[in-house]
mmCIF file of all heavy atoms in Angstrom:
data_model
loop_
_atom_site.group_PDB
_atom_site.id
_atom_site.type_symbol
_atom_site.label_atom_id
_atom_site.label_comp_id
_atom_site.label_asym_id
_atom_site.label_seq_id
_atom_site.Cartn_x
_atom_site.Cartn_y
_atom_site.Cartn_z
ATOM 1 N N VAL A 1170 -1.789 -54.881 158.841
ATOM 2 C CA VAL A 1170 -2.828 -54.569 159.808
ATOM 3 C C VAL A 1170 -2.288 -53.875 161.042
ATOM 4 O O VAL A 1170 -1.135 -54.148 161.423
ATOM 5 C CB VAL A 1170 -3.614 -55.892 160.190
ATOM 6 C CG1 VAL A 1170 -2.645 -56.880 160.828
ATOM 7 C CG2 VAL A 1170 -4.727 -55.509 161.113
ATOM 8 N N GLY A 1171 -3.031 -52.892 161.540
ATOM 9 C CA GLY A 1171 -2.538 -52.219 162.664
ATOM 10 C C GLY A 1171 -3.428 -51.058 163.053
ATOM 11 O O GLY A 1171 -4.525 -50.919 162.602
ATOM 12 N N ARG A 1172 -2.919 -50.185 163.910
ATOM 13 C CA ARG A 1172 -3.694 -49.029 164.310
ATOM 14 C C ARG A 1172 -2.801 -47.874 164.539
ATOM 15 O O ARG A 1172 -1.557 -47.993 164.758
ATOM 16 C CB ARG A 1172 -4.470 -49.317 165.629
ATOM 17 C CG ARG A 1172 -3.502 -49.634 166.814
ATOM 18 C CD ARG A 1172 -4.287 -50.046 168.064
ATOM 19 N NE ARG A 1172 -3.418 -50.345 169.178
ATOM 20 C CZ ARG A 1172 -3.538 -49.709 170.448
ATOM 21 N NH1 ARG A 1172 -4.485 -48.835 170.597
ATOM 22 N NH2 ARG A 1172 -2.719 -50.047 171.372
ATOM 23 N N GLU A 1182 1.250 -48.846 165.116
ATOM 24 C CA GLU A 1182 1.665 -50.169 165.546
ATOM 25 C C GLU A 1182 1.105 -51.104 164.514
ATOM 26 O O GLU A 1182 -0.106 -51.284 164.355
ATOM 27 C CB GLU A 1182 1.133 -50.442 166.928
ATOM 28 C CG GLU A 1182 1.756 -49.572 167.979
ATOM 29 C CD GLU A 1182 1.216 -49.863 169.391
ATOM 30 O OE1 GLU A 1182 0.253 -50.594 169.460
ATOM 31 O OE2 GLU A 1182 1.757 -49.294 170.359
ATOM 32 N N VAL A 1183 1.999 -51.771 163.677
ATOM 33 C CA VAL A 1183 1.597 -52.518 162.506
ATOM 34 C C VAL A 1183 2.265 -53.849 162.427
ATOM 35 O O VAL A 1183 3.461 -53.961 162.822
ATOM 36 C CB VAL A 1183 1.898 -51.695 161.255
ATOM 37 C CG1 VAL A 1183 1.571 -52.438 160.010
ATOM 38 C CG2 VAL A 1183 1.220 -50.310 161.292
ATOM 39 N N SER A 1184 1.603 -54.852 161.938
ATOM 40 C CA SER A 1184 2.171 -56.122 161.675
ATOM 41 C C SER A 1184 1.958 -56.440 160.194
ATOM 42 O O SER A 1184 0.904 -56.125 159.611
ATOM 43 C CB SER A 1184 1.486 -57.288 162.525
ATOM 44 O OG SER A 1184 1.764 -57.078 163.860
ATOM 45 N N SER A 1197 7.126 -58.835 159.317
ATOM 46 C CA SER A 1197 7.833 -57.640 159.831
ATOM 47 C C SER A 1197 6.707 -56.905 160.649
ATOM 48 O O SER A 1197 5.583 -57.266 160.660
ATOM 49 C CB SER A 1197 8.316 -56.730 158.744
ATOM 50 O OG SER A 1197 9.047 -55.639 159.264
ATOM 51 N N ARG A 1198 7.204 -55.878 161.406
ATOM 52 C CA ARG A 1198 6.282 -55.118 162.215
ATOM 53 C C ARG A 1198 6.877 -53.739 162.403
ATOM 54 O O ARG A 1198 8.069 -53.457 162.317
ATOM 55 C CB ARG A 1198 6.015 -55.761 163.561
ATOM 56 C CG ARG A 1198 7.189 -55.944 164.444
ATOM 57 C CD ARG A 1198 6.793 -56.230 165.898
ATOM 58 N NE ARG A 1198 6.108 -57.489 166.069
ATOM 59 C CZ ARG A 1198 6.770 -58.591 166.552
ATOM 60 N NH1 ARG A 1198 8.102 -58.519 166.851
ATOM 61 N NH2 ARG A 1198 6.090 -59.704 166.701
ATOM 62 N N ILE A 1199 5.997 -52.784 162.717
ATOM 63 C CA ILE A 1199 6.357 -51.436 163.234
ATOM 64 C C ILE A 1199 6.006 -51.360 164.717
ATOM 65 O O ILE A 1199 4.892 -51.686 165.110
ATOM 66 C CB ILE A 1199 5.652 -50.366 162.468
ATOM 67 C CG1 ILE A 1199 5.985 -50.385 160.980
ATOM 68 C CG2 ILE A 1199 5.887 -48.936 163.060
ATOM 69 C CD1 ILE A 1199 5.252 -49.333 160.122
ATOM 70 N N GLY A 1200 6.976 -50.965 165.553
ATOM 71 C CA GLY A 1200 6.731 -50.875 166.990
ATOM 72 C C GLY A 1200 6.469 -52.319 167.495
ATOM 73 O O GLY A 1200 7.036 -53.336 167.040
ATOM 74 N N PRO A 1201 5.506 -52.425 168.442
ATOM 75 C CA PRO A 1201 5.202 -53.782 168.929
ATOM 76 C C PRO A 1201 4.294 -54.591 168.080
ATOM 77 O O PRO A 1201 3.933 -55.735 168.376
ATOM 78 C CB PRO A 1201 4.516 -53.406 170.278
ATOM 79 C CG PRO A 1201 3.923 -52.048 170.018
ATOM 80 C CD PRO A 1201 4.809 -51.364 169.148
ATOM 81 N N GLY A 1202 3.881 -54.034 166.922
ATOM 82 C CA GLY A 1202 3.057 -54.729 166.037
ATOM 83 C C GLY A 1202 1.602 -54.547 166.349
ATOM 84 O O GLY A 1202 1.222 -53.848 167.287
ATOM 85 N N SER A 1203 0.741 -55.154 165.528
ATOM 86 C CA SER A 1203 -0.721 -55.082 165.746
ATOM 87 C C SER A 1203 -1.090 -55.716 167.039
ATOM 88 O O SER A 1203 -0.546 -56.663 167.488
ATOM 89 C CB SER A 1203 -1.441 -55.718 164.617
ATOM 90 O OG SER A 1203 -2.776 -55.922 164.917
ATOM 91 N N GLU A 1204 -2.124 -55.166 167.735
ATOM 92 C CA GLU A 1204 -2.587 -55.681 168.977
ATOM 93 C C GLU A 1204 -3.291 -57.056 168.738
ATOM 94 O O GLU A 1204 -3.547 -57.789 169.700
ATOM 95 C CB GLU A 1204 -3.512 -54.716 169.697
ATOM 96 C CG GLU A 1204 -4.743 -54.347 168.917
ATOM 97 C CD GLU A 1204 -5.642 -53.372 169.608
ATOM 98 O OE1 GLU A 1204 -5.231 -52.878 170.717
ATOM 99 O OE2 GLU A 1204 -6.749 -53.081 169.134
ATOM 100 N N ILE A 1205 -3.615 -57.404 167.485
ATOM 101 C CA ILE A 1205 -4.281 -58.743 167.269
ATOM 102 C C ILE A 1205 -3.258 -59.691 166.633
ATOM 103 O O ILE A 1205 -3.655 -60.798 166.122
ATOM 104 C CB ILE A 1205 -5.497 -58.548 166.336
ATOM 105 C CG1 ILE A 1205 -5.096 -58.177 164.891
ATOM 106 C CG2 ILE A 1205 -6.491 -57.645 166.940
ATOM 107 C CD1 ILE A 1205 -6.251 -58.332 163.928
ATOM 108 N N GLU A 1206 -1.977 -59.359 166.766
ATOM 109 C CA GLU A 1206 -0.929 -60.213 166.121
ATOM 110 C C GLU A 1206 -0.931 -61.627 166.705
ATOM 111 O O GLU A 1206 -0.925 -62.661 165.947
ATOM 112 C CB GLU A 1206 0.460 -59.615 166.354
ATOM 113 C CG GLU A 1206 1.611 -60.326 165.714
ATOM 114 C CD GLU A 1206 2.964 -59.714 165.936
ATOM 115 O OE1 GLU A 1206 3.182 -58.576 165.420
ATOM 116 O OE2 GLU A 1206 3.765 -60.278 166.695
#
Side-chain angles (χ1 to χ4, degrees):
V1170 57
R1172 65 187 181 123
E1182 295 178 349
V1183 178
S1184 295
S1197 185
R1198 62 163 69 100
I1199 296 177
S1203 167
E1204 61 181 4
I1205 67 167
E1206 183 178 293

